[in-house]
């Protein structure tokens, strides 16, 4: 039965995608409330990144519908149009302008910003400076604004890229494995950052680190073979026999 559309910021119904005979996504149904922070877990090959590719227009579904907000059909739009709607994506590897300062990275990302050279050589307005200060405080880099981005640690680069997304004021943030390669302290700070954004943005986080998942998750969606295996709280998911079999058992073995 189809869900009531107005309740959701994002809805996927009956979505399937096959690559060279491999069914990456299979009859996927996914519903997300506005302002929600949702964590998606699942073993390698479960379809997590393909799902994000479908939402952002990097690839097209073979069938099914993907809707954003009230009746905006994402399958009819290209990547640029989807980004302009307010859907921002952060990939696993941070992508920042390493030869520019932290301040300049955020400046270049501001919503409505001009191209690189006019943005950098045009005098910044009071409004822009205030917004950049606000974003840098949010991601904990206000003391590093004059640093070249290339001099930041791996974790700080991840926070800067999250800041670059926030600067665009997206309605929906898609964050792919933000804790990958981080120290325990950086991982915890990243969790606090994402929790601070909850409610201001709708956020989808894909993650393998179960300690991190436990820190941030309200509701967890488990993908397996391109479809939803189960959904619920961290405790509900961890105690589900199907999840233990296909995912968490392997994860626990890796942690020991």
């Amino acid at each position: 039965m189809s869900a009531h559309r107005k309740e959701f910021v994002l809805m996927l119904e009956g979505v399937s995608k096959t690559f060279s005979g491999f069914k990456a996504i299979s009859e996927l149904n996914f519903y997300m409330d506005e302002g929600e922070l949702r964590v998606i877990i699942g073993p390698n090959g479960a379809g997590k990144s393909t799902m994000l590719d479908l939402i952002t227009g990097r690839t097209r579904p073979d069938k099914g519908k993907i809707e954003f907000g009230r009746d905006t059909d994402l399958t009819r739009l290209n990547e640029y149009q989807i980004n302009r709607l307010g859907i921002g994506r952060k990939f696993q590897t941070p992508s920042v302008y390493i030869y520019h300062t932290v301040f300049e990275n955020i400046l270049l990302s501001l919503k409505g910003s001009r191209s690189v050279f006019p943005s950098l050589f045009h005098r910044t307005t009071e409004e822009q400076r205030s917004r950049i200060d606000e974003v840098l405080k949010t991601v904990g880099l206000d003391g590093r604004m004059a640093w070249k981005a290339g001099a930041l640690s791996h974790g700080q680069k991840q926070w800067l890229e999250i800041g670059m997304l926030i600067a665009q004021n997206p309605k929906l943030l898609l964050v792919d494995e933000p804790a990958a390669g981080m120290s325990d302290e950086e991982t915890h700070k990243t969790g606090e950052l994402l929790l601070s954004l909850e409610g201001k943005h709708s956020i989808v986080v894909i993650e393998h680190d179960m300690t991190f998942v436990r820190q941030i998750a309200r509701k967890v969606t488990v993908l397996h073979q391109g479809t939803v295996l189960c959904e619920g709280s961290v405790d509900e998911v961890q105690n589900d026999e199907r999840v233990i079999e296909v995912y968490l058992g392997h994860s626990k073995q890796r942690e020991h």
Side-chain angles (χ1 to χ4, degrees):
M1 180 176 154
S2 179
H4 198 279
R5 296 177 184 183
K6 288 190 288 188
E7 296 177 3
F8 302 107
V9 69
L10 180 66
M11 179 178 81
L12 287 76
E13 282 192 338
V15 175
S16 293
K17 180 64 182 179
T18 300
F19 296 102
S20 305
F22 172 69
K23 199 166 246 192
I25 298 290
S26 179
E27 294 293 335
L28 175 62
N29 295 320
F30 179 86
Y31 307 96
M32 183 172 169
D33 294 326
E34 188 165 351
E36 183 183 355
L37 192 165
R38 179 76 64 88
V39 179
I40 299 177
I41 66 172
N44 290 332
K48 303 183 298 296
S49 292
T50 302
M51 177 181 168
L52 298 194
D53 287 344
L54 290 165
I55 294 167
T56 55
R58 289 192 95 200
T59 189
R60 305 272 184 197
D62 299 327
K63 67 172 189 170
K65 58 185 177 182
I66 304 174
E67 292 187 354
F68 178 60
R70 295 189 180 184
D71 303 330
T72 301
D73 182 0
L74 297 184
T75 65
R76 297 177 181 274
L77 305 177
N78 61 35
E79 285 186 79
Y80 175 76
Q81 291 169 317
I82 290 171
N83 180 260
R84 288 293 294 270
L85 280 175
I87 298 179
R89 180 175 183 181
K90 191 209 166 310
F91 291 87
Q92 292 177 30
T93 305
S95 176
V96 298
Y97 301 104
I98 61 171
Y99 298 112
H100 291 297
T101 66
V102 168
F103 181 93
E104 289 167 345
N105 270 264
I106 302 298
L107 173 63
L108 290 168
S109 304
L110 288 176
K111 192 170 184 180
S113 182
R114 294 170 288 266
S115 58
V116 174
F117 288 108
S119 291
L120 292 178
F121 293 106
H122 191 277
R123 186 186 297 273
T124 55
T125 66
E126 194 66 39
E127 185 181 356
Q128 285 176 320
R129 188 168 286 276
S130 174
R131 176 63 178 150
I132 293 168
D133 287 345
E134 178 189 353
V135 169
L136 290 177
K137 278 178 186 162
T138 298
V139 299
L141 292 175
D142 44 318
R144 301 278 191 273
M145 67 170 64
W147 283 37
K148 288 278 170 59
L152 298 176
S153 71
H154 172 73
Q156 289 169 334
K157 283 177 184 155
Q158 297 277 35
W159 302 331
L160 176 57
E161 188 172 22
I162 291 172
M164 291 165 73
L165 283 179
I166 296 168
Q168 298 166 28
N169 201 25
K171 296 187 182 99
L172 176 62
L173 268 169
L174 307 173
V175 187
D176 199 349
E177 294 196 42
M182 285 190 177
S183 67
D184 290 346
E185 184 184 358
E186 288 175 332
T187 298
H188 187 75
K189 284 184 178 177
T190 302
E192 290 181 333
L193 168 57
L194 291 172
L195 288 170
S196 77
L197 300 175
E198 184 182 15
K200 301 172 191 171
H201 310 269
S202 304
I203 310 168
V204 174
V205 179
I206 287 176
E207 190 50 67
H208 279 295
D209 184 327
M210 288 307 298
T211 302
F212 183 66
V213 170
R214 281 190 287 271
Q215 180 191 352
I216 68 169
R218 305 283 191 259
K219 184 174 182 180
V220 179
T221 297
V222 184
L223 288 191
H224 179 53
Q225 296 180 346
T227 196
V228 174
L229 182 68
C230 74
E231 288 184 327
S233 68
V234 176
D235 287 340
E236 287 169 340
V237 163
Q238 285 187 308
N239 291 321
D240 189 295
E241 290 297 327
R242 296 165 299 170
V243 178
I244 293 167
E245 183 182 346
V246 305
Y247 181 70
L248 290 175
H250 303 301
S251 191
K252 284 174 182 170
Q253 286 169 18
R254 280 202 304 270
E255 286 173 1
H256 292 301

